[in-house]
């Protein structure tokens, strides 16, 4: 049960090519993990090397590579449009990926598993700021409920393994993420990359206006992806609820969940103005109120994490500058994620 993350650990990062997984990999390498001289390995298989949707194929991979630690950052993700139009894909693929990885981690005696969820697991009208035990207390936001239900199932699978088999798993619920390596597709991406792409394209084409969804009133909390990566490693090192909770405490809905956010929030309208200004777009922003706003406010209560001693370092303006510079570089090098 007791676990200490050492440099000789074999660490499997599922989804290492994505924005979150690549940031975690980069941070692990920066602080000395994956060093062959210390016998540690970072296991980052591509889709071609192992299909996470295929249980038998993944089982063979686990048996051969024998990871000590699993970081489950692989998921099918997207914004409001993608979730609303592809509910079957979002629930089925996410259920398959996480169920396969979590079950095989337990069967192969993985020492610790970190499961990355999302703040969308919480009810649409949860009391603000949202504490971890709000889970399942009310109905979800309809525009992403299929994705949220899949993530909730992953949390409950981790919790049930902790209760029944004392399996060491933790579940992180980050606020809205952004940063280098994001998906900039206008229909499928989250709000910050979508805004970056919209205003970049409008500036390039000398457009006089940009249309944004909703009325701009929703409040959101944005977390820079490199801060999340640091939080993941911090919690892998320090937080082991399976060691510190009795059986009754493990059954509490929030026993293996921890929020990861910034303690700051901004309206979507103010965010759009920030991105437009950063990209030097001087036209008009039109708000299409026929389109959904999503959850009116989604502010996480981060006190559980803060009490453990972790706080984010990257302010929104700084993170946006890094993100926009990265976008420009990726566009120039023709490596932009746009799918």
């Amino acid at each position: 049960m007791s676990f200490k993350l050492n440099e000789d650990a074999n660490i499997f990062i599922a989804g290492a090519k994505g924005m979150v997984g690549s940031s975690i990999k980069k941070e692990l390498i920066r602080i000395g993990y994956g060093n062959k001289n210390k016998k540690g390995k970072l296991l980052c298989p591509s889709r071609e090397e192992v299909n996470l949707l295929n249980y038998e194929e993944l089982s063979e991979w686990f048996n051969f590579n024998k990871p000590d630690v699993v970081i489950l950052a692989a998921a099918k993700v997207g914004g409001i449009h993608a979730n609303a139009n592809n509910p079957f894909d979002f629930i089925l693929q996410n259920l398959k990926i996480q169920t396969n990885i979590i079950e095989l981690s337990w069967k192969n005696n993985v020492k610790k598993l970190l499961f990355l969820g999302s703040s969308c697991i919480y009810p649409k009208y949860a009391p603000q700021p949202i504490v971890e035990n709000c889970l399942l207390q009310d109905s979800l936001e309809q525009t992403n409920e299929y994705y949220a239900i899949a993530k909730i199932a992953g949390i409950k699978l981790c919790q049930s393994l902790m209760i029944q088999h004392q399996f060491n798993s933790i579940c992180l619920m980050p606020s809205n993420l952004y940063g280098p390596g994001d998906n900039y597709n206008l229909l499928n991406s989250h709000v910050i990359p979508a805004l970056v792409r919209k205003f970049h394209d409008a500036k390039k084409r000398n457009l006089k206006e940009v249309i944004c969804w909703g009325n701009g009133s929703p409040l959101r909390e944005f977390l820079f992806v490199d801060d999340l990566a640091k939080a993941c490693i911090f919690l892998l090192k320090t937080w082991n609820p399976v060691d510190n909770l009795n059986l009754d405490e493990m059954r509490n809905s929030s026993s293996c969940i921890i929020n990861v956010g910034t303690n700051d929030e901004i309206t979507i309208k103010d965010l759009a103005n920030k991105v437009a200004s950063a990209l030097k777009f001087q036209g008009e922003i039109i708000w299409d109120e026929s389109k959904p706003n999503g959850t009116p406010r989604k502010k996480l209560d981060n006190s559980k994490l803060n009490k453990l001693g972790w706080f984010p370092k990257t302010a929104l303006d700084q993170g946006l500058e890094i993100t926009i510079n990265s976008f420009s570089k990726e566009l120039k090098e023709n490596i932009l994620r746009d799918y």
Side-chain angles (χ1 to χ4, degrees), residues 73-85:
K76 181 173 178 60
V77 298
I80 289 176
H81 181 274
N83 274 272
N85 288 277

Side-chain angles (χ1 to χ4, degrees), residues 10-298:
N10 291 334
I11 304 173
F12 171 28
I13 307 172
K17 294 288 182 69
M19 178 179 71
V20 175
S22 61
S23 181
I24 294 171
K25 178 183 178 181
K26 178 182 69 176
E27 180 63 14
L28 283 167
I29 292 171
R30 187 187 73 81
I31 60 177
Y33 290 88
N35 187 332
K36 292 181 180 179
N37 294 328
K38 297 180 179 179
K39 300 182 180 180
K41 294 180 183 177
L42 295 184
L43 305 168
C44 305
S46 66
R47 293 178 184 178
E48 291 71 31
E49 291 172 305
V50 62
N51 181 2
L52 302 180
L53 296 164
N54 187 308
Y55 182 89
E56 288 75 20
E57 187 176 326
L58 186 58
S59 180
E60 290 180 9
W61 185 91
F62 262 87
N63 186 56
F64 181 79
N65 289 281
K66 303 187 185 314
D68 301 305
V69 177
V70 171
I71 299 171
L72 210 177
K76 181 173 178 60
V77 298
I80 289 176
H81 181 274
N83 274 272
N85 288 277
N86 303 282
F88 176 76
D89 295 341
F90 274 86
I91 192 167
L92 183 65
Q93 290 186 34
N94 283 303
L95 283 172
K96 283 187 174 183
I97 289 169
Q98 63 201 32
T99 301
N100 287 349
I101 292 174
I102 294 168
E103 181 183 2
L104 286 167
S105 295
W106 166 61
K107 284 187 172 181
N108 286 272
N109 301 309
V110 164
K111 295 173 184 175
K112 191 166 188 179
L113 179 140
L114 184 151
F115 174 68
L116 280 160
S118 164
S119 59
C120 73
I121 64 160
Y122 294 119
K124 179 174 182 176
Y125 296 110
Q128 305 287 321
I130 307 169
V131 294
E132 287 87 352
N133 63 13
C134 282
L135 181 67
L136 297 175
Q137 295 301 305
D138 205 340
S139 57
L140 300 165
E141 159 61 40
Q142 287 187 339
T143 57
N144 59 22
E145 67 175 340
Y146 294 92
Y147 175 77
I149 287 169
K151 286 295 182 181
I152 291 169
I155 294 166
K156 288 301 178 182
L157 186 55
C158 289
Q159 185 182 12
S160 65
L161 279 168
M162 182 174 68
I163 293 167
Q164 189 172 338
H165 297 288
Q166 295 73 57
F167 182 65
N168 193 359
S169 58
I170 57 175
C171 303
L172 277 60
M173 301 304 121
S175 58
N176 296 65
L177 294 170
Y178 71 101
D182 211 334
N183 168 15
Y184 294 93
N185 184 289
L186 289 174
L187 290 178
N188 298 329
S189 62
H190 291 111
V191 60
I192 285 183
L195 290 173
V196 169
R197 188 60 181 267
K198 275 178 183 281
F199 290 116
H200 168 271
D201 290 357
K203 171 77 174 175
K204 185 178 180 180
R205 295 163 58 193
N206 294 314
L207 299 181
K208 295 183 178 181
E209 64 180 39
V210 164
I211 299 173
C212 294
W213 279 26
N215 61 19
S217 67
L219 283 159
R220 291 292 181 269
E221 173 184 12
F222 292 97
L223 178 67
F224 189 59
V225 68
D226 289 354
D227 281 342
L228 174 62
K230 291 179 175 67
C232 289
I233 297 165
F234 173 84
L235 290 166
L236 278 172
K237 290 180 175 181
T238 61
W239 191 47
N240 295 288
V242 70
D243 290 339
N244 301 315
L245 302 177
N246 61 40
L247 193 58
D248 286 339
E249 290 170 329
M250 288 181 189
R251 291 193 172 102
N252 183 291
S253 64
S254 62
S255 59
C256 63
I257 305 174
I258 194 161
N259 291 337
V260 185
T262 65
N263 297 324
D264 296 317
E265 57 187 335
I266 186 173
T267 66
I268 297 300
K269 183 171 286 187
D270 287 344
L271 175 67
N273 289 330
K274 274 184 180 289
V275 175
S277 176
L279 286 161
K280 297 180 171 55
F281 173 76
Q282 297 179 339
E284 185 178 4
I285 301 174
I286 307 296
W287 293 93
D288 182 358
E289 297 188 22
S290 69
K291 296 294 191 296
N293 274 322
T295 304
R297 188 185 181 205
K298 194 163 58 172

